Amino acid sequence: AALADAGPAATRALCSAGRCVGLAFQLRDDLLDAFGDARDTGKPAGGDIRSGKPTYLAAVARARAEASGDRWAVDVLRGAFGRGDASDAELASVREVFVATGARDTVEEKIGRLVAQGLRHLDTAVLEPEATGQLQVLMRSASGVPDTVAREVVPLSVILTAEDEGAGR
């Protein structure tokens, strides 16, 4: 907005879009830290768990495990979080809790909603069509959200099913 000498309305819209996608980017980073491959991310998986970083992913998993009375999941989270020496097996158990509690899917859905909201904000900024298109691509790319999710919130299970069918799995 500053580089393009945008007016106040466009600047507000772009700031709102950026805030939404910035949050989505952080949530994606948290998922990649837990589930990503070090060869793709450039950092070892599980760093947030080992450091005890209070991520949204961990908070959702803990809240759901406690609410459902899932002692095993609560114990896994308590036992591994903040332990720099947590083993690969303990990290795998934490990832299992993230999936079993639905925390992973919840974060994926939240990312999709944030990107969709960011794109709606972008639509309210009166920009050149080419600039809008480039910003849309950048926003989707930064958050790791496929085009279909950014346009419409689609449950992760539908996305994975469609990808699996397309790949012949």
Side-chain angles (χ1 to χ4, degrees):
L3 291 174
D5 198 25
T11 298
R12 280 191 302 275
L14 291 169
C15 285
S16 295
R19 191 174 305 110
C20 290
V21 174
L23 290 169
F25 174 87
Q26 182 58 57
L27 293 175
R28 175 67 61 208
D29 184 67
D30 295 344
L31 284 174
L32 288 172
D33 183 83
F35 294 98
D37 185 323
R39 292 172 295 204
D40 297 328
T41 64
K43 60 183 181 178
D48 291 348
I49 297 165
R50 286 184 171 122
S51 71
K53 182 179 176 186
T55 64
Y56 180 67
L57 175 66
V60 170
R62 184 178 304 273
R64 288 187 175 173
E66 289 173 355
S68 69
D70 186 339
R71 296 297 324 148
W72 175 80
V74 170
D75 290 344
V76 164
L77 294 173
R78 283 190 183 142
F81 264 84
R83 279 199 31 240
D85 64 344
S87 69
D88 289 342
E90 289 169 314
L91 294 177
S93 293
V94 171
R95 285 190 287 274
E96 186 178 336
V97 169
F98 287 164
V99 172
T101 60
R104 182 181 188 174
D105 287 345
T106 296
V107 172
E108 287 284 1
E109 290 166 5
K110 177 103 174 150
I111 291 168
R113 286 192 306 274
L114 283 165
V115 172
Q117 184 178 0
L119 291 170
R120 285 191 300 275
H121 285 298
L122 181 60
D123 286 343
T124 67
V126 180
L127 305 173
E128 294 293 323
E130 184 177 332
T132 299
Q134 289 176 350
L135 286 171
Q136 289 170 340
V137 168
L138 177 64
M139 291 169 70
R140 289 185 188 105
S141 175
S143 61
V145 173
D147 259 1
T148 56
V149 176
R151 294 172 202 262
E152 170 186 354
V153 177
V154 178
L156 179 63
S157 58
V158 172
I159 295 165
L160 292 177
T161 301
E163 289 176 354
D164 289 347
E165 289 172 358
R169 288 182 242 156

